[in-house]
Amino acid sequence: PNDCVASIARSDIAVIGTWRDNIRIDQAAVKEYEVRYQSAATKLDRLQHLLQKGAETQQDVDNARTDMLAFEANWQKLSDIATVSESKLAEDKAQLEVTLRQRDQKLVRAPVKGTIILMDPQPGSAVDTRVSFGELSPAAPLITLCEIDELFASRVHVGQKAYIRNPGSADTLATGTVYFASSYLRQKSLFTGEAGEKEDRRVRVVKILLDHPHNLLINSRVECVIEVKNSPQK
């Protein structure tokens, strides 16, 4: 639907440009015939004075009057055409404004700059205003969100150094610094409620600001290792 509205808007803009060109041509023609009419009227007035003095023929006066009336008729005709064109231009401008409003109503603008990482709707499908239909990664430094088991939660503090690895790997993909540690424990986001799960431990949510996250993919699962006073703990 957005593509259709945008196409109509572009078409209306092209039509408005054509009407403006036509109006400029019509106005130039109107000006030309206005000048010709005034010249013919002056000539007729001069010939009539000469006719009264016997220095001109009635035929020349009649021919001059015919030319003047012809120029006047063309002048009026072109003036009417220019008026119609201006009215049509005004109508097309109003239609364009309506089309642009319709287009704006179908546009979704993100509150911040960023990269779209998920878009559910397909071309031609409807979107409900009350339902999420995509995900946006803000144009900001990347962070890692990790969960620290409650056994080690009290040993994590803001400002500690962190290392990001692939799960089960010892290779460091990126480094960072803890800049947020939640003040309460909550349920695990992974494996909670699975059949056979025997532990009911809670976790502390920690956010790590990454230094150079070039080797990481957005929304990828990683392992976080945080340096504490005695030894690194996961």
Short mmCIF file of all heavy atoms in Angstrom, two decimals, residues 110 114-121 132-138 218-219:
data_model
loop_
_atom_site.label_atom_id
_atom_site.label_comp_id
_atom_site.label_asym_id
_atom_site.label_seq_id
_atom_site.Cartn_x
_atom_site.Cartn_y
_atom_site.Cartn_z
N ALA A 110 10.63 5.44 13.11
CA ALA A 110 11.28 5.01 14.34
C ALA A 110 11.60 6.22 15.21
O ALA A 110 11.92 7.29 14.69
CB ALA A 110 12.55 4.23 14.02
N GLY A 114 18.70 3.89 13.58
CA GLY A 114 19.19 2.55 13.86
C GLY A 114 19.10 1.65 12.65
O GLY A 114 18.89 2.11 11.52
N THR A 115 19.23 0.34 12.90
CA THR A 115 19.19 -0.67 11.85
C THR A 115 18.05 -1.63 12.13
O THR A 115 17.90 -2.13 13.25
CB THR A 115 20.51 -1.46 11.81
OG1 THR A 115 21.59 -0.55 11.59
CG2 THR A 115 20.49 -2.50 10.69
N ILE A 116 17.23 -1.89 11.11
CA ILE A 116 16.14 -2.85 11.25
C ILE A 116 16.73 -4.25 11.24
O ILE A 116 17.41 -4.64 10.28
CB ILE A 116 15.11 -2.69 10.12
CG1 ILE A 116 14.43 -1.32 10.22
CG2 ILE A 116 14.06 -3.80 10.19
CD1 ILE A 116 13.47 -1.04 9.09
N ILE A 117 16.48 -5.02 12.28
CA ILE A 117 17.02 -6.38 12.35
C ILE A 117 15.92 -7.43 12.19
O ILE A 117 16.23 -8.60 12.00
CB ILE A 117 17.78 -6.60 13.68
CG1 ILE A 117 16.85 -6.35 14.87
CG2 ILE A 117 18.99 -5.70 13.75
CD1 ILE A 117 17.53 -6.63 16.21
N LEU A 118 14.66 -7.01 12.25
CA LEU A 118 13.56 -7.95 12.06
C LEU A 118 12.35 -7.20 11.57
O LEU A 118 11.99 -6.15 12.11
CB LEU A 118 13.23 -8.68 13.37
CG LEU A 118 12.04 -9.64 13.33
CD1 LEU A 118 12.33 -10.79 12.37
CD2 LEU A 118 11.72 -10.18 14.71
N MET A 119 11.72 -7.73 10.51
CA MET A 119 10.49 -7.12 9.97
C MET A 119 9.55 -8.25 9.57
O MET A 119 9.80 -8.98 8.62
CB MET A 119 10.81 -6.23 8.77
CG MET A 119 9.61 -5.48 8.23
SD MET A 119 8.92 -4.31 9.42
CE MET A 119 10.23 -3.10 9.51
N ASP A 120 8.46 -8.41 10.33
CA ASP A 120 7.53 -9.52 10.11
C ASP A 120 6.60 -9.34 8.92
O ASP A 120 6.40 -10.27 8.14
CB ASP A 120 6.69 -9.77 11.37
CG ASP A 120 7.55 -10.25 12.53
OD1 ASP A 120 8.55 -10.93 12.26
OD2 ASP A 120 7.22 -9.94 13.69
N PRO A 121 5.99 -8.16 8.71
CA PRO A 121 5.00 -8.02 7.64
C PRO A 121 5.60 -8.24 6.25
O PRO A 121 6.75 -7.89 6.00
CB PRO A 121 4.50 -6.57 7.79
CG PRO A 121 4.86 -6.18 9.16
CD PRO A 121 6.12 -6.92 9.49
N SER A 132 3.52 -5.41 17.90
CA SER A 132 4.89 -5.23 17.43
C SER A 132 5.08 -6.02 16.14
O SER A 132 4.65 -7.16 16.02
CB SER A 132 5.87 -5.73 18.49
OG SER A 132 7.19 -5.71 17.99
N PHE A 133 5.71 -5.39 15.14
CA PHE A 133 5.91 -6.07 13.86
C PHE A 133 7.36 -6.02 13.41
O PHE A 133 7.68 -6.40 12.29
CB PHE A 133 5.01 -5.44 12.78
CG PHE A 133 5.26 -3.98 12.55
CD1 PHE A 133 6.24 -3.56 11.67
CD2 PHE A 133 4.51 -3.03 13.22
CE1 PHE A 133 6.47 -2.21 11.46
CE2 PHE A 133 4.73 -1.68 13.01
CZ PHE A 133 5.71 -1.28 12.13
N GLY A 134 8.26 -5.56 14.27
CA GLY A 134 9.66 -5.52 13.88
C GLY A 134 10.55 -5.17 15.06
O GLY A 134 10.06 -4.84 16.15
N GLU A 135 11.85 -5.28 14.83
CA GLU A 135 12.83 -4.92 15.85
C GLU A 135 13.85 -3.97 15.24
O GLU A 135 14.25 -4.14 14.09
CB GLU A 135 13.54 -6.17 16.38
CG GLU A 135 12.65 -7.07 17.21
CD GLU A 135 13.42 -8.23 17.81
OE1 GLU A 135 14.67 -8.14 17.84
OE2 GLU A 135 12.79 -9.22 18.22
N LEU A 136 14.25 -2.99 16.03
CA LEU A 136 15.20 -1.98 15.59
C LEU A 136 16.39 -1.96 16.54
O LEU A 136 16.21 -1.91 17.76
CB LEU A 136 14.54 -0.60 15.55
CG LEU A 136 15.45 0.57 15.19
CD1 LEU A 136 15.76 0.55 13.70
CD2 LEU A 136 14.79 1.90 15.57
N SER A 137 17.57 -2.00 15.97
CA SER A 137 18.79 -1.85 16.78
C SER A 137 19.20 -0.39 16.72
O SER A 137 19.58 0.11 15.66
CB SER A 137 19.91 -2.74 16.22
OG SER A 137 21.12 -2.50 16.92
N PRO A 138 19.11 0.34 17.84
CA PRO A 138 19.44 1.78 17.83
C PRO A 138 20.89 2.01 17.42
O PRO A 138 21.77 1.18 17.66
CB PRO A 138 19.21 2.20 19.28
CG PRO A 138 18.29 1.17 19.85
CD PRO A 138 18.65 -0.11 19.16
N ILE A 218 24.51 -9.01 16.24
CA ILE A 218 23.40 -8.57 17.08
C ILE A 218 22.48 -9.76 17.36
O ILE A 218 22.16 -10.54 16.46
CB ILE A 218 22.62 -7.44 16.38
CG1 ILE A 218 23.53 -6.22 16.22
CG2 ILE A 218 21.39 -7.05 17.19
CD1 ILE A 218 22.90 -5.09 15.43
N ASN A 219 22.08 -9.91 18.62
CA ASN A 219 21.18 -10.97 19.08
C ASN A 219 21.83 -12.35 19.12
O ASN A 219 21.14 -13.36 19.25
CB ASN A 219 19.91 -11.04 18.22
CG ASN A 219 18.89 -9.99 18.63
OD1 ASN A 219 19.06 -9.33 19.64
ND2 ASN A 219 17.84 -9.84 17.84
#
